[in-house]
Amino acid sequence: MTKERDTNDAPEPDGHAAAARCPVDRHLFPTAEEKQYPLPPSFVDGKVYTDPDQYAREYEKIFMQSWFPVCPSWDVQSPRDLVVWDRLRQSVVITRMDDGRIAAWHNVCQHRGARLVKESGQCKAGKVKCPWHGFAYNLAGEVTNVPLRESFDEATLTNLRATPIRAVEWSGFVWINFSNDAPSLQEYLGDLWGEIGHYRMDGFQTRYRTTVELHANWKVVVDAFNETWHVPFTHQETLAGLMLWRDAKIHVCPPHSWMTLPVAGFTERMKDKADHHGANVCHYLAFPNTIFSCFPTHLQMWTIWPVSAEETIIDAWGIVGPVPAGMSEEAWAKQNERDWAHFLKVVGENSTIINSLGTVAHSKGFGRLMFNTAESRLTAFHEEVKSRIS
Ligand code: FES
């Protein structure tokens, strides 16, 4: 007798069907001895996605204390290049100084708080003048000229500068941290330093970029990108036949996490079974908000920025490595175009789900929510958030 299909039943899991069709070498995937999903099931109160008090604590204790990338080094490649970064209710100026070093400082005049720099570009003069009363700043953010200087108390002008921000160039991006007490970027990233560093992204090019606005809490967005078992439901058209989602293997290295994700038609051809970078998509979350989806030859990276408790922005980049051996430049360019278009479609599919969740987040039915073992990265992420804001 044929079982009537429940509307909640999973559709035919195309990704797994593709895996079954391929002569996949199971040695590449987690064995019984390896723990594929490291954490037990867990629960979270739905209020974590809507509570304004929690959001305020996350802003201060997480976003004002963590490292994150804000722009590709490419954007400040030449001396006097300047980027204005407006996220997290902050405005930051990032500059390439004449000696090749970068500097980052708050985009706020020390006189009466005017916005110093309107937008990104080339600062040919090598100095910035406040549009209100003309205080001048060099590219390090130091005040170099004060009109009517004699009318101020000279002591208040000594060593005056725009408030500096810690900034480091690593893996082709400028990373910043608003806290002077946070550990170094390398210490902060821990295992991810070597994992992501493996790709040598500083030799890649940032060819594509986009920004997406979403109507949901930032953690909904992080959650949506950090588990794979939604693939056969949400991404039937884009990923289900491509990503062998059942064979994802999760690693938790607090505060971060990552997973290896085999790819149909690719992973099984790789000779070096031990090379997880070369044989899989490696997918990383650098806590709290930066995600890398790394293929051996190119990757997508995106940062997730809260705007309010229930509004979020994603900034995403398509980052491309050198032309692979045996491929023409033209063929590589075409493949990159296709990959980026594919990525945008995947983001669009996730955005639809994320925005739909935003429409019910205040429902009385939006209460206790659960994560299964395949959502171990979500459990680890929410535990980390909770521990930091407690
Ligand atoms: S606010 Fe900048 S010079 Fe007055």
Side-chain angles (χ1 to χ4, degrees):
M1 195 171 102
T2 310
K3 177 181 175 283
E4 194 176 314
R5 190 169 178 79
D6 190 299
T7 51
N8 288 321
D9 278 354
E12 179 63 23
D14 296 345
H16 200 255
R21 286 197 302 274
C22 295
V24 173
D25 183 343
R26 303 300 304 183
H27 180 72
L28 228 45
F29 305 129
T31 63
E33 295 76 48
E34 294 177 299
K35 199 139 194 199
Q36 182 181 9
Y37 303 143
L39 299 178
S42 69
F43 297 99
V44 71
D45 187 325
K47 287 196 180 67
V48 302
Y49 297 109
T50 56
D51 179 15
D53 291 340
Q54 166 148 352
Y55 173 70
R57 279 180 285 141
E58 288 169 354
Y59 180 87
E60 288 300 332
K61 298 194 169 186
I62 295 176
F63 282 93
M64 290 298 113
Q65 317 259 345
S66 300
W67 285 98
F68 27 70
V70 291
C71 70
S73 291
W74 186 262
D75 290 357
V76 280
Q77 196 181 21
S78 306
R80 306 193 177 187
D81 280 350
L82 173 156
V83 164
V84 178
W85 180 83
D86 289 297
R87 292 284 182 263
L88 295 174
R89 302 199 314 263
Q90 303 296 313
S91 185
V92 176
V93 178
I94 299 135
T95 64
R96 177 76 62 187
M97 296 186 289
D98 287 340
D99 64 5
R101 290 179 302 143
I102 56 158
W105 29 279
H106 287 277
N107 191 12
V108 181
C109 182
Q110 295 301 294
H111 174 217
R112 279 169 52 196
R115 181 185 176 98
L116 284 169
V117 186
K118 193 173 165 200
E119 58 194 9
S120 304
Q122 244 275 329
C123 181
K124 287 200 177 78
K127 66 179 178 190
V128 164
K129 199 180 274 189
C130 177
W132 206 351
H133 312 92
F135 273 40
Y137 296 74
N138 62 21
L139 293 178
E142 297 159 339
V143 175
T144 56
N145 189 50
V146 176
L148 284 178
R149 189 175 188 105
E150 64 283 1
S151 65
F152 287 90
D153 176 353
E154 183 61 30
T156 62
L157 300 180
T158 307
N159 298 325
L160 193 62
R161 54 161 304 142
T163 310
I165 297 164
R166 292 171 74 188
V168 172
E169 264 185 302
W170 182 71
S171 256
F173 271 75
V174 177
W175 296 63
I176 66 168
N177 193 314
F178 289 108
S179 168
N180 289 326
D181 301 324
S184 69
L185 176 62
Q186 181 171 1
E187 206 181 326
Y188 179 79
L189 288 177
D191 289 355
L192 293 200
W193 179 267
E195 280 293 327
I196 296 168
H198 171 89
Y199 293 93
R200 300 182 168 278
M201 282 165 56
D202 40 10
F204 286 22
Q205 282 186 1
T206 305
R207 290 239 180 110
Y208 306 97
R209 63 183 73 197
T210 193
T211 293
V212 180
E213 294 178 15
L214 295 162
H215 306 293
N217 182 268
W218 70 279
K219 298 188 295 301
V220 175
V221 185
V222 174
D223 292 347
F225 285 98
N226 281 307
E227 48 88 2
T228 56
W229 77 286
H230 71 281
V231 163
F233 301 92
T234 309
H235 303 300
Q236 288 186 51
E237 303 294 321
T238 49
L239 294 179
L242 186 65
M243 296 300 170
L244 305 183
W245 54 275
R246 283 183 195 270
D247 292 306
K249 187 184 173 201
I250 292 173
H251 306 258
V252 171
C253 47
H256 320 292
S257 68
W258 58 287
M259 64 185 165
T260 52
L261 186 53
V263 182
F266 170 74
T267 298
E268 66 270 16
R269 293 205 309 268
M270 293 298 109
K271 287 195 178 75
D272 184 357
K273 314 287 194 238
D275 177 13
H276 64 269
H277 295 103
N280 300 276
V281 172
C282 291
H283 188 280
Y284 304 95
L285 169 66
F287 184 87
N289 69 330
T290 305
I291 294 174
F292 300 81
S293 184
C294 303
F295 296 78
T297 52
H298 64 287
L299 60 119
Q300 290 104 27
M301 177 185 143
W302 57 104
T303 44
I304 295 163
W305 306 109
V307 176
S308 68
E310 296 176 64
E311 300 290 325
T312 302
I313 284 179
I314 300 178
D315 288 322
W317 297 272
I319 303 166
V320 174
V323 182
M327 188 179 258
S328 72
E329 209 160 303
E330 191 186 2
W332 183 227
K334 278 188 182 156
Q335 185 180 314
N336 293 329
E337 291 289 333
R338 282 197 303 273
D339 286 342
W340 182 247
H342 185 261
F343 171 72
L344 293 181
K345 212 167 168 193
V346 171
V347 170
E349 290 166 347
N350 271 352
S351 298
T352 301
I353 294 290
I354 290 164
N355 284 331
S356 76
L357 196 143
T359 66
V360 297
H362 288 278
S363 162
K364 296 288 183 195
F366 194 89
R368 189 185 71 165
L369 309 172
M370 59 184 98
F371 302 137
N372 65 11
T373 58
E375 293 163 322
S376 286
R377 296 180 75 194
L378 279 57
T379 295
F381 169 69
H382 283 265
E383 280 178 0
E384 187 66 35
V385 168
K386 195 172 167 189
S387 75
R388 291 191 178 226
I389 64 172
S390 298

